[in-house]
Amino acid sequence: PVGGIDQWISIRGQNRDNPVILMLHGGPGVSNAPFAPAFTPWEDDFTIVEWDQRGAGRTFGRNGAQGTGVLSIDRLTQDGIALTQHLRSRLQKDKIVLFALSFGSVIGLNMVQARPELFAAYVGSGQFINAADGDTLGYRLTLEQARAVQNAEAIKALEAMGPPPWRDVKTRSAAKGWATRMTKDDDPASRMNVPAMLKALPDYSDADVKSLAAGMAFSTEPLVRDAMSFDARSFGPRFPIPLFIFQGADDLNTPTALVQRWFADLDAPAKAIMIVEHASHGAFYT
């Protein structure tokens, strides 16, 4: 139980003395389940905690739309802090590491700002900075890439929707979808086949697959609308804990130039950024 409802958590590792990493998946509403096997080697050095957030994956499958309750960034932040407290007690750790992916970085930054004393470090990938600026730059870069590879379908769709601000969340999601499809061929993430990855999971049922899709459909509208007003820069120039960013050089969804500018302006106890070559929004997988 987390935040008044049952939420799905997995805790995997080889040694309880290892540092604990809490993974914050993106989406909104996209469980990390398909990618879990990629992190198996990490379990020698870390205890890996995966969490299907409220409204996502197996958590949505357990509770459904009626049992999910209010879905907002603030609610997910509260859930994340409650889960962190549970992990500290259960795994006997004073602090844990947050590894936040894409939309999960919105939740992660809010968690760190609310309770910095709970965390050893923040690690971001596909780092969300600001919706308006990110959408504007991402749209331009996506259209440039579509033209560079002469993808007529992408060019037609992107030119038809026009640059942001867009009239609705559906249009924005379509633009982000084209950004993902413009992943370059030299990026290993371009070969990800998520349906096949899900089928290969030994503990993932057909009902789980349906819950993942249903949770994403349920979560996208309210959480994207909430995230439109989020700005990582509003927290100010001081970051309270060690900060590490792994950002794809060719990220079109959360453009890397914005992340680099935000990172450069921050003062933290320790910080480092790695721009991952031949990687895009799926840099965590690359």
Side-chain angles (χ1 to χ4, degrees):
V2 176
I5 65 171
D6 282 353
Q7 302 202 34
W8 187 89
I9 319 294
S10 78
I11 303 175
R12 294 187 175 97
Q14 299 300 319
N15 186 339
R16 281 180 171 267
D17 292 333
N18 283 338
V20 176
I21 298 178
L22 171 57
M23 307 281 285
L24 301 178
H25 67 68
V30 180
S31 166
N32 272 350
F35 316 116
F39 293 100
T40 300
W42 294 29
E43 294 169 14
D44 291 335
D45 301 299
F46 303 97
T47 297
I48 303 294
V49 180
E50 293 282 7
W51 165 38
D52 282 5
Q53 298 161 19
R54 183 184 297 259
R58 284 163 158 162
T59 296
F60 186 74
R62 170 63 65 91
N63 298 284
Q66 296 302 315
T68 294
V70 175
L71 199 58
S72 67
I73 289 171
D74 182 64
R75 177 69 263 181
L76 293 182
T77 300
Q78 293 177 47
D79 287 351
I81 290 171
L83 174 56
T84 300
Q85 297 281 37
H86 168 75
L87 295 172
R88 292 172 72 232
S89 175
R90 178 168 177 172
L91 300 174
Q92 298 183 321
K93 298 294 183 184
D94 182 45
K95 298 182 179 184
I96 68 172
V97 175
L98 282 182
F99 185 14
L101 308 174
S102 189
F103 174 80
S105 63
V106 175
I107 309 303
L109 290 183
N110 275 287
M111 289 169 63
V112 166
Q113 294 297 329
R115 297 294 303 275
E117 74 279 6
L118 302 181
F119 305 106
Y122 173 87
V123 184
S125 186
Q127 179 65 49
F128 192 106
I129 303 299
N130 171 271
D133 292 348
D135 289 353
T136 299
L137 179 56
Y139 173 84
R140 178 172 63 80
L141 294 174
T142 301
L143 185 54
E144 286 177 2
Q145 178 62 12
R147 288 169 174 162
V149 299
Q150 298 181 327
N151 187 318
E153 183 184 4
I155 295 167
K156 181 179 179 181
L158 289 163
E159 289 181 341
M161 71 177 64
W166 294 299
R167 62 185 180 276
D168 52 37
V169 171
K170 183 178 180 180
T171 303
R172 183 179 189 272
S173 295
K176 296 298 181 182
W178 282 114
T180 300
R181 276 174 285 215
M182 289 300 103
T183 298
K184 294 180 179 178
D185 291 341
D186 63 353
D187 181 347
S190 69
R191 295 182 287 279
M192 285 195 300
N193 183 330
V194 172
M197 293 161 75
L198 288 169
K199 283 187 177 181
L201 295 174
D203 61 343
Y204 219 69
S205 67
D206 289 343
D208 290 329
V209 174
K210 290 180 180 178
S211 294
L212 194 155
M216 184 177 177
F218 176 80
S219 298
T220 298
E221 181 82 24
L223 291 178
V224 168
R225 287 198 178 281
D226 208 3
M228 294 304 289
S229 60
F230 176 84
D231 192 334
R233 299 165 299 196
S234 68
F235 292 124
R238 183 182 175 277
F239 202 83
I241 63 173
L243 166 71
F244 304 95
I245 302 295
F246 295 84
Q247 188 74 14
D250 301 312
D251 193 330
L252 305 177
N253 281 282
T254 52
T256 298
L258 290 183
V259 180
Q260 290 174 302
R261 288 200 291 270
W262 169 75
F263 179 87
D265 290 339
L266 290 177
D267 178 33
K271 70 173 189 175
I273 185 169
M274 174 176 281
I275 304 303
V276 184
E277 299 298 330
H278 310 296
S280 56
H281 197 55
F284 73 94
Y285 188 81
T286 305

